[in-house]
């Protein structure tokens, strides 16, 4: 599937390009980012980025459906909503210096709206470590609700840790969007 490029108030969401990979390596090679993500190694090398890009982010392949988050000066994070095993899974990370400005909520809203336009009906799954309050907050703000506890294996830590599985029904996402419109 060819990914579109989309605009939000502050952001451009677009396919990840080969030329983004050096920025991606610099920003994701931060233990405070990697330690929250399941498959990301630490340290992170350009070869890791090339492998990931080749497998999942290249336009035309039906995989992770990963968008670069760009504020105008290059990639600052990634948000994806794809179907690794048939169930759409929502995942994301943002460079540390951009945390706490509502960027992931803004990016997530756009990518989920695109996802539900393309694939209406089916819910989207996600999850976060219980220690990752910021991520659980992002999911809740987007309309996700709790399914229950599970455990996530974190590659950079070599550990499996307690987490919360979350689900987004298309109706809940619509309600969240309508509520935001009403509040203006
Ligand atoms: C999780 C992450 C994407 C959040 O991005 P962000 O742009 O800072 O998120 P937002 O600003 O849109 O929303 C974060 C919310 O959590 C809140 N928050 C942030 N840190 C928090 C903390 N330590 N405890 C409780 N709440 C926290 C923020 O106040 C905000 O809520 P609010 O809008 O109600 O105030 C970012 O921290 C990140 O990339 N972390 C490392 C990778 C990661 O965790 N990826 C997700 C794996 S599941």
């Amino acid at each position: 599937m060819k990914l579109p490029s989309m605009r939000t108030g502050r952001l451009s969401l677009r396919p990840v390009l080969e030329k983004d990979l050096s920025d991606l390596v610099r920003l994701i090679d931060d233990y405070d980012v990697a330690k929250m993500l399941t498959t990301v190694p630490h340290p992170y090398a350009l070869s890791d980025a090339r492998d990931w890009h080749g497998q999942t982010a290249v336009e035309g392949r039906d995989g992770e459906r990963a968008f670069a988050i760009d504020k105008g000066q290059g990639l600052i994070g990634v948000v994806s909503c794809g179907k690794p095993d048939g169930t759409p899974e929502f995942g994301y990370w943002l460079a540390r210096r951009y945390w706490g400005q509502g960027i992931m909520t803004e990016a997530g809203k756009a990518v989920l709206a695109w996802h539900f336009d393309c694939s209406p009906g089916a819910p989207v799954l996600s999850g976060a470590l219980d220690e990752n309050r910021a991520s659980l907050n992002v999911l809740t703000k987007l309309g996700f609700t709790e399914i229950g506890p599970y455990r996530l294996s974190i590659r950079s830590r070599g550990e499996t840790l307690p987490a919360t599985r979350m689900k987004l029904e298309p109706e809940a996402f619509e309600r969240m969007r309508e509520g935001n419109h009403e509040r203006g």
Side-chain angles (χ1 to χ4, degrees):
M1 162 183 271
K2 186 169 168 17
L3 296 186
S5 292
M6 303 184 283
R7 297 281 318 171
T8 67
R10 293 177 288 177
L11 309 171
S12 152
L13 299 159
R14 55 166 181 79
V16 179
L17 306 173
E18 183 78 32
K19 70 178 167 66
D20 292 317
L21 297 185
S22 57
D23 286 335
L24 184 144
V25 172
R26 184 172 46 82
L27 299 171
I28 205 171
D29 189 29
D30 172 345
Y31 186 63
D32 284 338
V33 173
K35 74 180 187 185
M36 299 299 187
L37 300 170
T38 52
T39 58
V40 170
H42 186 79
Y44 193 93
L46 187 56
S47 56
D48 296 313
R50 289 207 174 110
D51 287 350
W52 171 78
H53 192 245
Q55 284 162 21
T56 63
V58 172
E59 276 190 63
R61 293 200 188 173
D62 194 25
E64 202 177 326
R65 297 185 181 170
F67 290 84
I69 303 172
D70 190 334
K71 264 184 113 226
Q73 287 170 331
L75 178 148
I76 60 168
V78 171
V79 53
S80 62
C81 190
K83 299 184 181 182
D85 62 2
T87 312
E89 183 89 26
F90 181 59
Y92 43 88
W93 65 269
L94 183 66
R96 194 209 303 225
R97 63 175 286 222
Y98 297 97
W99 293 358
Q101 302 169 32
I103 288 178
M104 195 50 75
T105 307
E106 184 173 326
K109 234 177 252 176
V111 169
L112 288 164
W114 166 79
H115 170 82
F116 285 127
D117 280 350
C118 301
S119 316
V124 171
L125 295 177
S126 192
L129 294 177
D130 289 342
E131 68 185 66
N132 195 350
R133 304 316 303 174
S135 184
L136 290 167
N137 268 347
V138 168
L139 293 174
T140 304
K141 286 195 290 177
L142 291 170
F144 281 79
T145 53
E146 196 172 320
I147 298 175
Y150 73 143
R151 294 183 74 82
L152 281 174
S153 165
I154 304 293
R155 182 165 170 190
S156 60
R157 303 196 207 187
E159 280 184 305
T160 299
L161 295 162
T164 299
R165 194 70 165 136
M166 306 280 281
K167 176 170 78 167
L168 179 63
E169 299 286 357
E171 300 77 18
F173 183 66
E174 268 320 304
R175 279 198 299 278
M176 180 279 299
R177 290 173 87 193
E178 281 161 16
N180 284 358
H181 288 151
E182 275 160 25
R183 282 199 293 278

